[in-house]
Amino acid sequence: MITSRRRLRLGAATAVALLATLAPVTAASATTDTTAPKISTTAIKQWLGPGDMKWRGAFWSANPAYSWSSSDNVGVASHEVQTWIGSGKGSRLGASTWSSTAKYAKTYAGSRRSVHVEVGEGEQACQRVRATDAAGNRSAWSGWRCTYAPFGEDTVDGAWDPSAFSFKLRKTGTANDRISTVPVKATGVRIRVATGPSRGKAKIHIGSTYLGTVSATAKRSGSKYVTLRRSSTLTGRIKVRGISNTPKSFLVTGLWALRSTSKLSSATIGHPATPAEYSEPGLPAPVASSDTTKPRITKFAFAPAWPSKRAGNGMYRATASWSAADNVKVTGYLYQEKRAAGGTSHFGASTTYTTQTTQTRWPDYDGDTICLRARARDAAGNLSSWTGWKCSVAPITVLGGNWASGGFPSIAGSAWVYAAVSPRTSDQTIDRFAAKALRLKVRTGPTRGKAKIYVGGTHFGTVNTYAKKNGSKWVVVRHKREVRGRIRVVAKTKKVYVGPVYVIKDVSKAVRTEIG
C-alpha cells in the first residue's frame, strides 16, 4: 500500500514537472517560429476548349479550377490568391474582390486548396498563390499559372457554322469568307483546324502583321493545332483568310490569343497604380471583420422592358429596382450599366457604387437599349454574385419620325403605319439598326393581310394579320445572327398595319463581362 501511494505521488509530480517543462516550449515556439511556408505545386487547365465553355444567358464563359498544395512546420493559416485578366485590351490585374489584407488579393482559409476563376471568350486568366502561417510568416508567391479560353461567335464576325466555336471559311472565285476577332494585344495565336483532303489553306494576321500560313490539307480527316508567335506584342484584330485556289473549306474549331506574360511578374501588382478598369468607383474601404458570409440579391427587375408611353418630360422611362439580404447588413450596391444606340450592338459601359436600391433610366431615341445588373456588398467587403442583365428598349414609332413612308402614308397622329394591297408597296425606317429579332405590334381583322419583314436585305419573317374579328397582337420575328440595316415592311396581300417596333439586339454579342 505504501509502495502504491509513493508511485502515485511520484507519477503526479512527474506529470506536473513534464507539463511545466512543455508549456514554455509551446509558448516559445509560437513567438520564435521564423520558418516560412512553402507552395509545393500549382495547376490550372491551360487550354480551355469549346466544351469547357457554358452559356450563361448572355455570354459564354468557363470556371476552371486553380489548385495548389502548401506546407509549413506548424501549419498554414491562410492563402492569398491574385488573378490577372487578359481581355481584348491586354493584360491587367483583376480586382473583383477585396480583402482586409491586400487590395487585389482574395484571402482563403489555410485548408483551401483550389478556387475557380471566370474566363470569357478570348480571355486569358493567370493566378498565383502564397501561404501564411499563424506566426505571420509568408511564403514567396508561386509562379503564375495561366488558362486561355477560345474565341467564339460573340467575339468573331464573318461566316460561322452553327457551333459557336466553329468557323468555316471558303474561297470561291472572288468570294472570301473571313474570321476577324475583336481587337487584341497578343504575341501570337494558337489555332485548331480540321484536316482532310477537302480542306484548304489560310493566312493568319494580327492587325497588319502576317504571322504565317496554315495548311489543313491531309490525306485523312482529322485535326491539328498550330501555334504562330512573335517576340513582341502586336495590336489588332486576329484575322484568318482562306487562300485555297479551289473551293476547299478551312474549318477553325478553336482560336486562342497568346498574350505576353512578362508583365505578370511586375511589382506593381497590388500597387495603387493598378489599372483603373478594375477599380470600383466610390467603394468604401472594408472594415476589419471576421464576417465572410456573402450577401445575396433576392430580387432584381428593370421595367418596363418595352416602354410604349412617354413620361411627363416626353421621354420613355424604365426603372431598375433590387433588394438583398445578408447575415449582418447590406451597406451598399454595385450596379453596371450598358447602353447602345439603335444602329450598333456596341455597348458603352460603366460601374457605379450606390446605397440606393433603385435607378431610373431613359431609353429615349428610337431603338435605344439600356441594360443593368447589380450586386450587393456588406461592411466587410463581401460581394454577392451579379444578377443577370435586364434590358429596356425604346420603340421605333411613326411619331418619332423614323419611318420614311415612301410606299404608303402613315396614319396621322398615330403610332401605326400600313402597307397597301400591292405587294410592291412598303415602308422602311430612315435609320439603320443592328437587330437579331424584332418585336412588332400589328392590327388584326378580316380586311388585314400579310407582310414580309426585312432588316436590310435579310428576310426576318412573314407576319399574317388576318383574323375574323378586329384586334391586335404582338409578333416576334428572328434571324440566326445579328443583321444591320433599315427595317422594312413589304405588303404581300391586303393592308397591314404595323405599330411600335422594338429592336432586339444580339445580347450575347453586345453585353459582355469586360467591365468587371
Side-chain angles (χ1 to χ4, degrees), residues 111-371:
S111 58
R112 190 69 172 260
R113 290 293 180 270
S114 67
V115 296
H116 290 264
V117 59
E118 184 174 31
V119 189
E121 294 176 44
E123 289 187 344
Q124 166 198 14
C126 300
Q127 294 184 297
R128 66 176 184 175
V129 63
R130 69 178 176 184
T132 304
D133 63 17
N137 299 305
R138 285 178 171 173
S139 72
W141 283 106
S142 69
W144 289 94
R145 291 282 187 177
C146 301
T147 185
Y148 297 83
F151 285 98
E153 171 178 298
D154 294 358
T155 45
V156 174
D157 59 39
W160 51 73
D161 286 341
S163 168
F165 295 88
S166 182
F167 310 93
K168 183 180 288 187
L169 299 90
R170 184 189 301 273
K171 183 169 183 179
T172 307
T174 58
N176 188 5
D177 293 338
R178 64 176 187 167
I179 293 175
S180 181
T181 71
V182 296
V184 301
K185 290 184 177 180
T187 58
V189 299
R190 184 175 190 257
I191 186 170
R192 184 178 188 267
V193 298
T195 57
S198 63
R199 304 301 179 191
K201 299 178 181 179
K203 289 184 177 181
I204 317 296
H205 291 77
I206 295 181
S208 60
T209 303
Y210 170 67
L211 296 181
T213 298
V214 177
S215 175
T217 305
K219 292 182 179 180
R220 296 181 180 179
S221 297
S223 63
K224 70 176 181 179
Y225 290 90
V226 178
T227 299
L228 302 170
R229 199 160 198 168
R230 293 290 182 268
S231 57
S232 58
T233 298
L234 306 172
T235 301
R237 300 176 186 272
I238 298 175
K239 302 173 185 176
V240 184
R241 301 289 184 266
I243 59 172
S244 299
N245 294 325
T246 58
K248 292 184 177 180
S249 64
F250 189 83
L251 181 62
V252 178
T253 56
L255 181 62
W256 297 263
L258 306 179
R259 293 183 172 85
S260 172
T261 56
S262 59
K263 293 182 180 180
L264 299 182
S265 59
S266 170
T268 62
I269 292 178
H271 188 273
T274 300
E277 292 100 316
Y278 277 86
S279 64
E280 293 162 337
L283 198 64
V287 300
S289 173
S290 60
D291 177 20
T292 59
T293 302
K294 297 180 179 180
R296 57 188 177 87
I297 297 289
T298 55
K299 182 181 179 180
F300 181 73
F302 190 27
W306 315 103
S308 58
K309 295 181 179 180
R310 294 185 181 270
N313 59 0
M315 301 172 67
Y316 297 105
R317 178 175 63 189
T319 301
S321 60
W322 57 82
S323 58
D326 186 55
N327 64 323
V328 181
K329 182 182 179 181
V330 174
T331 56
Y333 306 89
L334 285 164
Y335 68 88
Q336 291 182 335
E337 175 183 342
K338 300 191 177 186
R339 180 190 295 262
T344 177
S345 63
H346 171 71
F347 275 56
S350 63
T351 306
T352 307
Y353 174 77
T354 183
T355 56
Q356 300 176 351
T357 57
T358 61
Q359 291 291 321
T360 298
R361 292 296 179 267
W362 310 92
D364 186 43
Y365 297 100
D366 281 13
D368 271 7
T369 301
I370 299 177
C371 301

Side-chain angles (χ1 to χ4, degrees), residues 441-457:
K441 191 174 185 180
V442 296
R443 285 186 176 183
T444 57
T447 61
R448 311 301 176 211
K450 296 180 181 180
K452 289 185 176 182
I453 313 298
Y454 294 85
V455 177

